[in-house]
Every structure is written in C-alpha cells, then in structure tokens.
Amino acid sequence: MEFKLEAHRIVSISLGKIYSARGQRGGLKLHKNLLVSLVLRSARQVYLSEPGCPPEPPPIAAPEEQPPPPQDQAARLPAADCREPRPRGCGCCGEATCGAAAPPTPPPCPRKRSAGERGQAGSPVKRPRREVEEEPPPGEQEDMETGNVASLISIFGSSFSGLLSKEPKARRRDPRDGGDATETTEPGQICCDEPVLRTLNPWSTAIVAF
Amino acid sequence: ADIISTVEFNHTGELLATGDKGGRVVIFQREQESKNQPHRRGEYNVYSTFQSHEPEFDYLKSLEIEEKINKIRWLPQQNAAYFLLSTNDKTVKLWKVSERDKRPEGYNLKDEDGRLRDPSMITVLRVPVLRPMDLMVEATPRRVFANAHTYHINSISVNSDYETYMSADDLRINLWNFEITNQSFNIVDIKPANMEELTEVITAAEFHPHHCNTFVYSSSKGTIRLCDMRTSALCDHHAKFFEEPEDPSNRSFFSEIISSISDVKFSHSGRYIMTRDYLTVKVWDLNMENRPIETYQVHDYLRSKLCSLYENDCIFDKFECVWNGSDSVIMTGSYNNFFRMFDRNTKRDVTLEASRENSKPRAILKPRKVCVGGKRRKDEISVDSLDFSKKILHTAWHPSENIIAVAATNNLYIFQDKVN
C-alpha cells in the first residue's frame, strides 16, 4: 500500500511537471519531459499492479464504465486509469463525466473539457487509445489548431510495443472524426487487456512532442 | 552578474572563457608571470566581454529561443587572434577575439574625430601612420551557423582536423565546416519515424582528440556510442556500444533518470572516456564495452533522497566532468557548492567547497565531508543541511597545470596549486 501511495504521489508530481513545462521559456525540453514521462509510466505501472487497487468504478462513473460487470477485468482498468491523474484535475478519461468521478478532496480541474472541444484539439495530437490522457487547456488548443509547434505531451496508458504488434491499425485515427466513440470502443478492447498491461516493459514510453 | 552556464580553458590555458544565461561571454587572460611579483603566479583578469547571443523568437513555432550560452569551445590558435565557438539552443557562432594596440592617424580626408574634411581646404597630403594606442580587445562574429537544429543543442566539439566541428541536439548531430555556414551534414539521427516511440535522446557528444574520424555520443539511457565517420555518411550504426548492465538491487522509479548521462569527455590520451550521470562518474576504456573500468561515487548519500530531488527538479541537473592534463585526476561538481576530485592512481578523493567565506585569496581549501548518518562530527555537514540551490555544474581544468575554474551559480572561482 505504501508503494501505491508513493506511486500515486509521483504520478501527480510528474503530471504537474509536464503541465508546467509547457509554459517554459525556450520551448519544450525534450530530454526532461522524456524522463518525466518514464517516471510517470513506471509509477503508474506500480499503481495499477498494486493489490490495493479498488475494482469499483467511481460513484458517478462515465456511462461506458458502468455497463461492464464487476468481474470483467478489462473494464476495471479504465476505471483505475481514470483515477490516476485525478490529483492533477481529472484530465483523464477524456470523458466529461469523468470529472465527476472525483476523489474525496479533488483539486480544481483545469483540464475538464467537453467532448466537442476535445475533438478539435485532437487534430495535431495523437490521441491515446486509453482514457488516461493529458489534455491541454483551451488556450493550448488554439496553438495546436494554428499548427504552432507548441509544447505538448500526451501520456499514453499502455505500451506501444506490445500493441503495435497486435493491431497497428487501432492506433491510426482520424482526429477529426467523432472522436469519443471510436476511441473508447475500438482500441478499448486491446488496451484493456490486463495481462498485456502487466507484462509490459515498464520502461517503454510514449511521447508526442510538438 | 548572471548565472554561468559554461566554462572552458583554451588549448594553452592562457585564456578562460565563461558563458552565462544572459548570452554574454567573458574571457579571462592569465597575467604574465613577472619576476617582480613572484607570488602573483599568473592570475586571471578580464580580457574581453561581449554579447554572443540575444534572445530570439521563432515566429513559426511561437517559441522563445533562450540566449543562454550552452557551450563554448576554443579553436587552437593559428595566428595572433583567438577563435571560439559559442552556442545557445539553436545557433552556433564563431567569434574572433583580437587585440588592437595601434591605430592609424593622419588621414587626409577626415580629421581625428572622423568628421569629413572639406576637400577644398586640404593643401597638404600626408601618409597616415600607425601609432600605439591603449590595448583594445575586440570580438567580432565571423560565422553564424544557424537553422540546422530542430531540438536544443547540448554539445559542440571541434574536430582534430581543425576544419570541421559538430553540433549535437537531442536527436541529431550535424557536422560543419568552419568556412560554410549555409549547410551542414547530418551524421547521426535518432529521431524515430513516430515520435511516440521515442525512448532516448542524445545528451552529449565529443570528437576523439586525435582521430578525426571518431566521435562518441551519450544517451539518456546511460549508454555511449562510438562512431566512425569512415564507415558511412550517416553514423546511425555505432562502431562500439558502451553500456553497463543495470544493478537490479538499485531499481527505483528514478533509475532511468539517474542513469542518464549528462556529460562525456575523452581523456587527453584518447584512450578513455569519462561519463557523468547523476550519482557517479565512470571511466571507460575504449577497448572494453561491457562495463566501465572505474566508477566513482560523487554523492551516493543522495540515493535515498531521489524522490525529493525529483520534486524539486534537482534530479535533472546536468553536471559536467573534466580530466586534468595528465588524465590522472578527474573532477566534477555537486551541491552546496561542493566539488569533488578523484585521483585515479591513488584512489583518493577529496571534497572541496567554492564559497566566499572559505576562499580568501591564497588560503588553502580545506577538505569537506558530508555526514551520512549517525553522529555528525564538528566540521562535517549533514545531508539535510546541504543547500541544493548551490550547485556546481560547470568546471574546467587547465590543460597542463593544476589550475581549476569552478562556476558556482553566478560566481567564478579559480583555484591553483599552492606555491612553495
């Protein structure tokens, strides 16, 4: 349990660093953000693999999280993932409703966005297959929309090496389409494969830096 | 005074250049030793100061480009003038530093103030003569090597052929000819086709001191690659790959970060390379790729504090390391304005401090000690009292003498062997 708490804390610190890195003078520091994302990934792995991870989805869960029965391992993961970046402010899950799945003492959620906004912002950004996602605030969207190479990092919930070999197609997504539906259903099945997640090389990482 | 970001002696040790966060370069020159004042054994005084880089704005990417000087490298001296390369994140510049101690006097068409004379008033012609003047040191930018790096430049290295040099950023290394500024050769490119697959970046690069075809570059994964430019134009395939197997007992969330190499330096002999990661300095024999031949603990007492150091960003500090002229001693910085020296032959090490209180002129530096646990002795300092804002990232060692330059934030300390 201690590891879980520490992992949780490290995740929140890491996300905070990534968030604040974007406004830095001199642009994105690729090296530092790569390292932070590695730490984030390994902390997240520990967090997920700890036995203390509660299986229940949050009280007011996103619609697609409720239907899966409790014994469905796959569906547990979206819930667990969803809680991950909570300390940061519910940037996770990409679902507006996830914002409601808040911890007892949630910090303000600067990254809550409506699904529509997300669709727009997705254009130059490779959106994750999983719900765990770093979402830039509205100001950042403008930068991306105008094609500026503003600093942006997306943290992906699962390793690409394992998933690439499985279903490369699943990653290709036209950001301009509906977004939400395709995101959660199609790649969802693969990503939620818990055994895959557990055996993933914890040191592989994914960064999209613009 | 601004935060010093790089320190470098020239090849004779006569000059010492520093670059700072504000884009300025300050060059110190060693005083000639004089018989009159034998105790003033060649002190360094300011020789020249100039603004090398200015902040820029990349409009296309909407990014500010910092003017901070990341590295300075001297060219060997070939005439009366001195040449150095200085670089910020994006642009490398070649500067010529030269002395002027004469000026022409006696022009016909203009007077001493430079104002033009009325030609009709001139009745006599004279030949201008050169007259001595107060020494003036001027720095002029001779070349600007721009627009070749998408990512931040972390290293520059002058080749032993003195005709080319390389510049390295996070993902690419370019080879330049000093005479040509509008193009460079890309010799290493580790950018993955899909940036999502990025797992490591280039952290430092250096040419071999004697073999102009050989260079090394270090990575954020703690590996070093040695490349031979004769094998192919694009050196993506290394000739040698140096990596030490990870110690599984030391695994933590931060293992990756602390294994990232922040500096790599060839020994003067060209036989060894030295690498610095967060907690150690390692010496590698070029002939042995599977592990370093020597490992020195710089501040292992920080190993249990990695989480806090991650929080306050100190874990990302990039320390440099240097060899002395004979490759027998290596030096690197630490926190609390401490710096460490390791004698490779005697295996002795010492911790010294660069601070005003401890450094009266000609006072001898007292070795310092960090108390790790248990009882703290009188002169020791405990780990929790260390000031992590006082970090020594940049140091330099005179090429032939025991004179060192240590940059402590915005102060430069120069220490030398005691005179008998």
Side-chain angles (χ1 to χ4, degrees), chain B residues 10-51:
Chain B
N10 74 340
H11 292 259
T12 60
E14 182 204 351
L15 298 180
L16 174 66
T18 62
D20 66 25
K21 223 171 132 212
R24 272 191 336 161
V25 171
V26 180
I27 302 178
F28 299 84
Q29 186 188 42
R30 195 175 185 194
E31 262 182 31
Q32 296 300 323
E33 295 179 27
S34 71
K35 296 192 189 62
N36 303 336
Q37 297 179 313
H39 60 277
R40 287 174 66 102
R41 210 184 69 155
E43 290 184 357
Y44 284 84
N45 300 313
V46 178
Y47 178 65
S48 172
T49 303
F50 57 93
Q51 187 74 31

Tab-separated table of all heavy atoms in Angstrom, chain B residues 10-51:
chain	number	residue	atom	x	y	z
B	10	ASN	N	41.287	27.643	-22.913
B	10	ASN	CA	41.717	27.387	-24.291
B	10	ASN	C	42.867	26.376	-24.271
B	10	ASN	O	43.247	25.868	-23.220
B	10	ASN	CB	42.075	28.689	-25.021
B	10	ASN	CG	43.401	29.271	-24.579
B	10	ASN	OD1	43.901	28.956	-23.501
B	10	ASN	ND2	43.968	30.122	-25.413
B	11	HIS	N	43.436	26.091	-25.421
B	11	HIS	CA	44.369	24.966	-25.508
B	11	HIS	C	45.687	25.196	-24.785
B	11	HIS	O	46.390	24.234	-24.456
B	11	HIS	CB	44.631	24.626	-26.984
B	11	HIS	CG	43.417	24.074	-27.663
B	11	HIS	ND1	43.236	22.746	-27.901
B	11	HIS	CD2	42.303	24.691	-28.105
B	11	HIS	CE1	42.067	22.559	-28.495
B	11	HIS	NE2	41.483	23.727	-28.629
B	12	THR	N	46.039	26.465	-24.567
B	12	THR	CA	47.276	26.727	-23.841
B	12	THR	C	46.995	27.034	-22.380
B	12	THR	O	47.907	27.041	-21.560
B	12	THR	CB	48.017	27.942	-24.432
B	12	THR	OG1	47.146	29.080	-24.335
B	12	THR	CG2	48.382	27.693	-25.879
B	13	GLY	N	45.739	27.297	-22.061
B	13	GLY	CA	45.414	27.666	-20.703
B	13	GLY	C	45.619	29.136	-20.420
B	13	GLY	O	45.385	29.601	-19.309
B	14	GLU	N	46.000	29.858	-21.444
B	14	GLU	CA	46.219	31.285	-21.252
B	14	GLU	C	44.893	32.016	-21.081
B	14	GLU	O	44.786	33.020	-20.389
B	14	GLU	CB	46.973	31.853	-22.459
B	14	GLU	CG	47.297	33.328	-22.345
B	14	GLU	CD	47.501	33.982	-23.705
B	14	GLU	OE1	47.549	33.251	-24.716
B	14	GLU	OE2	47.609	35.215	-23.744
B	15	LEU	N	43.875	31.519	-21.750
B	15	LEU	CA	42.573	32.165	-21.703
B	15	LEU	C	41.539	31.246	-21.083
B	15	LEU	O	41.591	30.021	-21.236
B	15	LEU	CB	42.094	32.550	-23.103
B	15	LEU	CG	42.945	33.542	-23.885
B	15	LEU	CD1	42.313	33.795	-25.246
B	15	LEU	CD2	43.093	34.854	-23.132
B	16	LEU	N	40.583	31.855	-20.397
B	16	LEU	CA	39.485	31.115	-19.790
B	16	LEU	C	38.204	31.826	-20.182
B	16	LEU	O	38.048	33.016	-19.929
B	16	LEU	CB	39.642	31.112	-18.264
B	16	LEU	CG	38.522	30.502	-17.443
B	16	LEU	CD1	38.422	29.012	-17.700
B	16	LEU	CD2	38.757	30.772	-15.959
B	17	ALA	N	37.309	31.105	-20.827
B	17	ALA	CA	36.060	31.720	-21.279
B	17	ALA	C	34.897	31.230	-20.438
B	17	ALA	O	34.840	30.048	-20.080
B	17	ALA	CB	35.817	31.379	-22.753
B	18	THR	N	33.987	32.125	-20.134
B	18	THR	CA	32.750	31.722	-19.470
B	18	THR	C	31.582	32.259	-20.280
B	18	THR	O	31.656	33.345	-20.860
B	18	THR	CB	32.649	32.291	-18.036
B	18	THR	OG1	32.640	33.709	-18.097
B	18	THR	CG2	33.786	31.815	-17.167
B	19	GLY	N	30.506	31.469	-20.306
B	19	GLY	CA	29.277	31.928	-20.946
B	19	GLY	C	28.211	31.960	-19.879
B	19	GLY	O	28.273	31.202	-18.903
B	20	ASP	N	27.258	32.854	-20.025
B	20	ASP	CA	26.228	32.912	-18.994
B	20	ASP	C	24.831	32.850	-19.578
B	20	ASP	O	24.624	32.789	-20.788
B	20	ASP	CB	26.414	34.135	-18.083
B	20	ASP	CG	26.194	35.460	-18.808
B	20	ASP	OD1	25.462	35.486	-19.835
B	20	ASP	OD2	26.748	36.480	-18.356
B	21	LYS	N	23.892	32.878	-18.665
B	21	LYS	CA	22.493	32.710	-19.039
B	21	LYS	C	21.982	33.889	-19.859
B	21	LYS	O	20.990	33.773	-20.565
B	21	LYS	CB	21.664	32.578	-17.751
B	21	LYS	CG	20.622	31.503	-17.812
B	21	LYS	CD	19.998	31.284	-16.437
B	21	LYS	CE	18.490	31.277	-16.632
B	21	LYS	NZ	17.714	31.776	-15.546
B	22	GLY	N	22.651	35.013	-19.732
B	22	GLY	CA	22.211	36.204	-20.446
B	22	GLY	C	22.818	36.318	-21.835
B	22	GLY	O	22.662	37.337	-22.499
B	23	GLY	N	23.533	35.270	-22.272
B	23	GLY	CA	24.094	35.290	-23.614
B	23	GLY	C	25.446	35.979	-23.710
B	23	GLY	O	25.969	36.206	-24.798
B	24	ARG	N	26.006	36.331	-22.560
B	24	ARG	CA	27.298	37.026	-22.592
B	24	ARG	C	28.446	36.040	-22.488
B	24	ARG	O	28.322	34.981	-21.872
B	24	ARG	CB	27.406	37.963	-21.389
B	24	ARG	CG	26.858	39.333	-21.622
B	24	ARG	CD	27.239	40.251	-20.505
B	24	ARG	NE	27.521	39.583	-19.253
B	24	ARG	CZ	28.207	40.132	-18.270
B	24	ARG	NH1	28.689	41.353	-18.420
B	24	ARG	NH2	28.428	39.480	-17.148
B	25	VAL	N	29.569	36.420	-23.079
B	25	VAL	CA	30.805	35.655	-22.933
B	25	VAL	C	31.820	36.564	-22.270
B	25	VAL	O	31.984	37.722	-22.677
B	25	VAL	CB	31.330	35.173	-24.307
B	25	VAL	CG1	32.722	34.573	-24.168
B	25	VAL	CG2	30.379	34.154	-24.907
B	26	VAL	N	32.461	36.068	-21.235
B	26	VAL	CA	33.532	36.820	-20.581
B	26	VAL	C	34.789	35.981	-20.687
B	26	VAL	O	34.800	34.807	-20.339
B	26	VAL	CB	33.206	37.091	-19.091
B	26	VAL	CG1	34.347	37.876	-18.456
B	26	VAL	CG2	31.901	37.840	-18.958
B	27	ILE	N	35.848	36.606	-21.189
B	27	ILE	CA	37.116	35.891	-21.349
B	27	ILE	C	38.120	36.461	-20.374
B	27	ILE	O	38.289	37.681	-20.277
B	27	ILE	CB	37.643	36.014	-22.789
B	27	ILE	CG1	36.609	35.459	-23.766
B	27	ILE	CG2	38.963	35.256	-22.946
B	27	ILE	CD1	37.009	35.578	-25.214
B	28	PHE	N	38.776	35.579	-19.647
B	28	PHE	CA	39.832	35.974	-18.716
B	28	PHE	C	41.172	35.585	-19.319
B	28	PHE	O	41.309	34.566	-19.975
B	28	PHE	CB	39.661	35.260	-17.375
B	28	PHE	CG	38.362	35.573	-16.687
B	28	PHE	CD1	37.212	34.879	-17.012
B	28	PHE	CD2	38.295	36.573	-15.732
B	28	PHE	CE1	36.008	35.165	-16.397
B	28	PHE	CE2	37.103	36.874	-15.099
B	28	PHE	CZ	35.946	36.168	-15.431
B	29	GLN	N	42.173	36.418	-19.033
B	29	GLN	CA	43.504	36.108	-19.535
B	29	GLN	C	44.461	36.002	-18.365
B	29	GLN	O	44.391	36.788	-17.411
B	29	GLN	CB	43.982	37.193	-20.499
B	29	GLN	CG	45.312	36.862	-21.171
B	29	GLN	CD	45.841	38.029	-21.965
B	29	GLN	OE1	45.780	39.171	-21.519
B	29	GLN	NE2	46.358	37.757	-23.141
B	30	ARG	N	45.373	35.075	-18.484
B	30	ARG	CA	46.320	34.889	-17.394
B	30	ARG	C	47.416	35.923	-17.497
B	30	ARG	O	47.983	36.137	-18.567
B	30	ARG	CB	46.923	33.497	-17.496
B	30	ARG	CG	47.614	33.088	-16.233
B	30	ARG	CD	48.073	31.676	-16.330
B	30	ARG	NE	48.647	31.262	-15.051
B	30	ARG	CZ	49.364	30.177	-14.893
B	30	ARG	NH1	49.608	29.402	-15.937
B	30	ARG	NH2	49.847	29.868	-13.711
B	31	GLU	N	47.684	36.522	-16.371
B	31	GLU	CA	48.772	37.512	-16.336
B	31	GLU	C	50.091	36.831	-16.581
B	31	GLU	O	50.316	35.736	-16.095
B	31	GLU	CB	48.830	38.149	-14.955
B	31	GLU	CG	48.142	39.482	-14.860
B	31	GLU	CD	48.304	40.026	-13.460
B	31	GLU	OE1	49.340	39.723	-12.821
B	31	GLU	OE2	47.398	40.720	-13.011
B	32	GLN	N	50.959	37.549	-17.283
B	32	GLN	CA	52.309	37.008	-17.440
B	32	GLN	C	52.977	37.002	-16.087
B	32	GLN	O	52.889	37.965	-15.345
B	32	GLN	CB	53.113	37.909	-18.403
B	32	GLN	CG	52.563	37.932	-19.815
B	32	GLN	CD	52.547	36.565	-20.449
B	32	GLN	OE1	53.465	35.774	-20.234
B	32	GLN	NE2	51.507	36.271	-21.193
B	33	GLU	N	53.643	35.929	-15.785
B	33	GLU	CA	54.341	35.893	-14.503
B	33	GLU	C	55.518	36.834	-14.581
B	33	GLU	O	56.251	36.854	-15.550
B	33	GLU	CB	54.833	34.471	-14.224
B	33	GLU	CG	53.676	33.517	-14.047
B	33	GLU	CD	54.127	32.102	-13.789
B	33	GLU	OE1	55.238	31.942	-13.251
B	33	GLU	OE2	53.389	31.176	-14.126
B	34	SER	N	55.688	37.601	-13.535
B	34	SER	CA	56.791	38.560	-13.558
B	34	SER	C	57.724	38.282	-12.387
B	34	SER	O	57.325	37.782	-11.347
B	34	SER	CB	56.249	39.981	-13.464
B	34	SER	OG	55.745	40.203	-12.174
B	35	LYS	N	58.964	38.629	-12.605
B	35	LYS	CA	59.935	38.395	-11.549
B	35	LYS	C	59.671	39.326	-10.371
B	35	LYS	O	60.001	39.037	-9.233
B	35	LYS	CB	61.347	38.622	-12.090
B	35	LYS	CG	61.754	37.650	-13.180
B	35	LYS	CD	63.243	37.721	-13.462
B	35	LYS	CE	63.603	36.901	-14.689
B	35	LYS	NZ	62.952	37.393	-15.928
B	36	ASN	N	59.095	40.483	-10.672
B	36	ASN	CA	58.877	41.460	-9.610
B	36	ASN	C	57.890	40.953	-8.582
B	36	ASN	O	57.993	41.252	-7.404
B	36	ASN	CB	58.364	42.774	-10.195
B	36	ASN	CG	59.321	43.322	-11.228
B	36	ASN	OD1	60.500	43.008	-11.199
B	36	ASN	ND2	58.798	44.120	-12.144
B	37	GLN	N	56.897	40.254	-9.055
B	37	GLN	CA	55.858	39.800	-8.143
B	37	GLN	C	55.706	38.293	-8.273
B	37	GLN	O	54.728	37.806	-8.853
B	37	GLN	CB	54.528	40.488	-8.456
B	37	GLN	CG	54.585	41.995	-8.267
B	37	GLN	CD	53.250	42.624	-8.617
B	37	GLN	OE1	52.677	42.305	-9.653
B	37	GLN	NE2	52.766	43.481	-7.749
B	38	PRO	N	56.635	37.561	-7.764
B	38	PRO	CA	56.593	36.106	-7.953
B	38	PRO	C	55.411	35.442	-7.261
B	38	PRO	O	54.991	34.367	-7.628
B	38	PRO	CB	57.927	35.612	-7.355
B	38	PRO	CG	58.343	36.698	-6.419
B	38	PRO	CD	57.806	37.976	-6.958
B	39	HIS	N	54.858	36.092	-6.243
B	39	HIS	CA	53.758	35.436	-5.544
B	39	HIS	C	52.457	35.562	-6.320
B	39	HIS	O	51.513	34.846	-6.102
B	39	HIS	CB	53.593	36.012	-4.127
B	39	HIS	CG	53.291	37.487	-4.149
B	39	HIS	ND1	54.272	38.433	-4.267
B	39	HIS	CD2	52.131	38.148	-4.108
B	39	HIS	CE1	53.723	39.628	-4.272
B	39	HIS	NE2	52.422	39.497	-4.185
B	40	ARG	N	52.424	36.505	-7.224
B	40	ARG	CA	51.235	36.590	-8.065
B	40	ARG	C	51.466	35.677	-9.263
B	40	ARG	O	51.880	36.120	-10.326
B	40	ARG	CB	51.028	38.022	-8.549
B	40	ARG	CG	50.546	38.941	-7.465
B	40	ARG	CD	50.515	40.357	-7.967
B	40	ARG	NE	49.510	40.517	-9.013
B	40	ARG	CZ	48.325	41.070	-8.819
B	40	ARG	NH1	47.998	41.492	-7.617
B	40	ARG	NH2	47.476	41.198	-9.814
B	41	ARG	N	51.193	34.414	-9.022
B	41	ARG	CA	51.572	33.461	-10.047
B	41	ARG	C	50.498	33.390	-11.109
B	41	ARG	O	49.672	32.511	-11.105
B	41	ARG	CB	51.776	32.100	-9.408
B	41	ARG	CG	52.797	31.258	-10.130
B	41	ARG	CD	52.872	29.921	-9.497
B	41	ARG	NE	51.638	29.161	-9.750
B	41	ARG	CZ	51.612	27.848	-9.743
B	41	ARG	NH1	52.704	27.170	-9.527
B	41	ARG	NH2	50.464	27.212	-9.944
B	42	GLY	N	50.528	34.333	-11.994
B	42	GLY	CA	49.638	34.250	-13.144
B	42	GLY	C	48.178	34.257	-12.764
B	42	GLY	O	47.498	33.241	-12.877
B	43	GLU	N	47.680	35.400	-12.321
B	43	GLU	CA	46.259	35.497	-12.032
B	43	GLU	C	45.483	35.764	-13.304
B	43	GLU	O	46.022	36.287	-14.278
B	43	GLU	CB	46.009	36.645	-11.053
B	43	GLU	CG	46.524	36.349	-9.671
B	43	GLU	CD	46.173	37.459	-8.705
B	43	GLU	OE1	45.585	38.472	-9.155
B	43	GLU	OE2	46.474	37.321	-7.532
B	44	TYR	N	44.232	35.443	-13.254
B	44	TYR	CA	43.380	35.653	-14.417
B	44	TYR	C	42.592	36.945	-14.260
B	44	TYR	O	41.938	37.170	-13.252
B	44	TYR	CB	42.421	34.467	-14.572
B	44	TYR	CG	43.091	33.237	-15.146
B	44	TYR	CD1	43.785	32.350	-14.329
B	44	TYR	CD2	43.031	32.968	-16.515
B	44	TYR	CE1	44.412	31.229	-14.864
B	44	TYR	CE2	43.647	31.856	-17.050
B	44	TYR	CZ	44.338	30.992	-16.223
B	44	TYR	OH	44.956	29.882	-16.752
B	45	ASN	N	42.669	37.775	-15.266
B	45	ASN	CA	41.899	39.026	-15.264
B	45	ASN	C	41.014	39.091	-16.496
B	45	ASN	O	41.286	38.444	-17.511
B	45	ASN	CB	42.852	40.223	-15.253
B	45	ASN	CG	43.729	40.213	-14.030
B	45	ASN	OD1	43.256	40.015	-12.925
B	45	ASN	ND2	45.018	40.401	-14.239
B	46	VAL	N	40.010	39.914	-16.397
B	46	VAL	CA	39.082	40.023	-17.527
B	46	VAL	C	39.809	40.567	-18.748
B	46	VAL	O	40.514	41.566	-18.676
B	46	VAL	CB	37.895	40.940	-17.171
B	46	VAL	CG1	36.974	41.090	-18.379
B	46	VAL	CG2	37.121	40.369	-15.996
B	47	TYR	N	39.614	39.885	-19.838
B	47	TYR	CA	40.299	40.243	-21.089
B	47	TYR	C	39.312	40.820	-22.088
B	47	TYR	O	39.572	41.793	-22.765
B	47	TYR	CB	40.960	38.977	-21.622
B	47	TYR	CG	41.684	39.096	-22.932
B	47	TYR	CD1	42.810	39.896	-23.059
B	47	TYR	CD2	41.268	38.368	-24.052
B	47	TYR	CE1	43.494	39.976	-24.264
B	47	TYR	CE2	41.941	38.438	-25.245
B	47	TYR	CZ	43.059	39.241	-25.348
B	47	TYR	OH	43.738	39.314	-26.539
B	48	SER	N	38.155	40.199	-22.176
B	48	SER	CA	37.160	40.661	-23.135
B	48	SER	C	35.778	40.233	-22.682
B	48	SER	O	35.619	39.161	-22.081
B	48	SER	CB	37.454	40.066	-24.521
B	48	SER	OG	36.405	40.350	-25.413
B	49	THR	N	34.803	41.077	-22.962
B	49	THR	CA	33.411	40.744	-22.661
B	49	THR	C	32.576	41.100	-23.861
B	49	THR	O	32.733	42.201	-24.416
B	49	THR	CB	32.906	41.546	-21.444
B	49	THR	OG1	33.756	41.292	-20.332
B	49	THR	CG2	31.486	41.162	-21.090
B	50	PHE	N	31.732	40.204	-24.276
B	50	PHE	CA	30.868	40.551	-25.401
B	50	PHE	C	29.565	39.776	-25.331
B	50	PHE	O	29.477	38.730	-24.673
B	50	PHE	CB	31.570	40.304	-26.743
B	50	PHE	CG	32.055	38.891	-26.953
B	50	PHE	CD1	31.257	37.953	-27.616
B	50	PHE	CD2	33.321	38.508	-26.522
B	50	PHE	CE1	31.716	36.660	-27.826
B	50	PHE	CE2	33.783	37.213	-26.734
B	50	PHE	CZ	32.980	36.279	-27.383
B	51	GLN	N	28.586	40.304	-26.002
B	51	GLN	CA	27.275	39.678	-26.057
B	51	GLN	C	27.281	38.716	-27.242
B	51	GLN	O	27.333	39.134	-28.393
B	51	GLN	CB	26.191	40.755	-26.241
B	51	GLN	CG	24.772	40.234	-26.147
B	51	GLN	CD	24.367	39.908	-24.715
B	51	GLN	OE1	24.846	40.545	-23.777
B	51	GLN	NE2	23.509	38.930	-24.538
